[in-house]
Amino acid sequence: LKEDKSERIPFIGNNLDDFTPNALVVVSFPGAYGRAWNFLTKEALKAESRLNSSCVFLPNSSAPGYGQHIRTGRDGEMCHCMHLYHGQKQYFGCAWFSLWQRKTLEAVKCGCNLLVVTKRDGTLGNSQQGEVRYLQQNAWPYSEMNILDFLMYFAATAPKDQKVLVSRKLQGSVNRCRRAKAETSNRVQGLKLEHQQQATKPGSQHRVCVDPWTLFWW
């Protein structure tokens, strides 16, 4: 299993209707392993199994959105490249990130289990670093698996004993993420109650906006 950037990945994520509660959704994948991804998606189709993902890969200029930049900020002078690639504009654009955001948010709202796939050594690709940073900023729990374990988990021809070990490890990580989500939900409910109590106090000017995924104080 080697990194091979010559084999490009044409993929714009699953349809939003494909995301169901507790489904495993790959939200980040190292694009350098294009051959492995293309192989696994074909394997999943043969086995009629689901390989759900919010990942977006625009391989060349024929892909819609390739080379386009999405303006951000109040004045619209910046684009996603500012935070994804340390301010360096990329020739392939950053439109993919907006689509990835929308699909990943839908997976979160549907109660899916998020999975980040790393390289063999556990590191992330350049675009992946921005994706994972976004997950962490929003406090969305996710499981992590390197590309070798990912192949073992999804490839139909993988040795059964190895597949069982990888499945157990992944399930343990998913369970920890579920507990973290439950704890976050409890904190949100507590903040809502605090907000209601503060609102009933005369002369109180303290306000809190409680969102299920991101908390803002002002």
Side-chain angles (χ1 to χ4, degrees), residues 9-195:
I9 305 174
F11 195 76
I12 58 171
N14 283 84
N15 293 326
L16 299 184
D17 293 340
D18 292 336
F19 299 142
T20 56
N22 294 320
L24 187 66
V25 175
V26 179
V27 295
S28 187
F29 186 91
Y33 293 96
R35 180 174 299 178
W37 178 267
N38 293 334
F39 167 75
L40 286 171
T41 51
K42 291 176 182 177
E43 286 282 294
L45 287 174
K46 289 179 184 177
E48 296 184 350
S49 60
R50 300 301 302 174
L51 180 54
N52 295 316
S53 178
S54 66
C55 294
V56 176
F57 298 105
L58 308 179
N60 50 50
S61 57
S62 63
Y66 182 90
Q68 296 179 11
H69 296 268
I70 302 300
R71 299 295 177 182
T72 61
R74 293 181 180 178
D75 52 10
E77 294 182 357
M78 297 186 297
C79 68
H80 288 306
C81 289
M82 291 297 295
H83 63 87
L84 289 172
Y85 308 111
H86 308 291
Q88 298 295 317
K89 267 196 171 183
Q90 302 297 310
Y91 65 90
F92 49 80
C94 59
W96 67 268
F97 186 74
S98 291
L99 181 56
W100 175 84
Q101 280 181 309
R102 184 163 64 89
K103 289 181 179 285
T104 300
L105 177 59
E106 188 63 27
V108 171
K109 287 182 176 179
C110 289
C112 298
N113 299 312
L114 312 185
L115 176 63
V116 171
V117 181
T118 71
K119 296 181 180 182
R120 295 182 65 169
D121 60 0
T123 60
L124 301 167
N126 289 334
S127 297
Q128 280 192 287
Q129 293 175 34
E131 292 170 337
V132 170
R133 194 158 50 242
Y134 183 77
L135 299 177
Q136 293 173 344
Q137 287 171 348
N138 284 280
W140 294 338
Y142 61 88
S143 299
E144 196 171 282
M145 173 184 282
N146 67 45
I147 185 66
L148 290 176
D149 285 348
F150 185 75
L151 281 170
M152 287 291 180
Y153 185 80
F154 278 101
T157 56
K160 288 187 176 180
D161 57 339
Q162 292 295 319
K163 189 180 284 288
V164 168
L165 289 175
V166 170
S167 297
R168 287 176 179 172
K169 185 163 61 173
L170 176 59
Q171 189 58 54
S173 179
V174 167
N175 289 339
R176 287 191 292 274
C177 288
R178 286 175 178 169
R179 288 194 294 270
K181 284 192 288 188
E183 291 172 1
T184 299
S185 178
N186 290 337
R187 287 199 298 270
V188 168
Q189 293 302 319
L191 285 170
K192 283 183 177 180
L193 179 60
E194 179 185 341
H195 173 53

Side-chain angles (χ1 to χ4, degrees), residues 3-14:
E3 295 185 28
D4 184 7
K5 296 183 180 180
S6 64
E7 184 157 349
R8 312 299 284 174
I9 305 174
F11 195 76
I12 58 171
N14 283 84

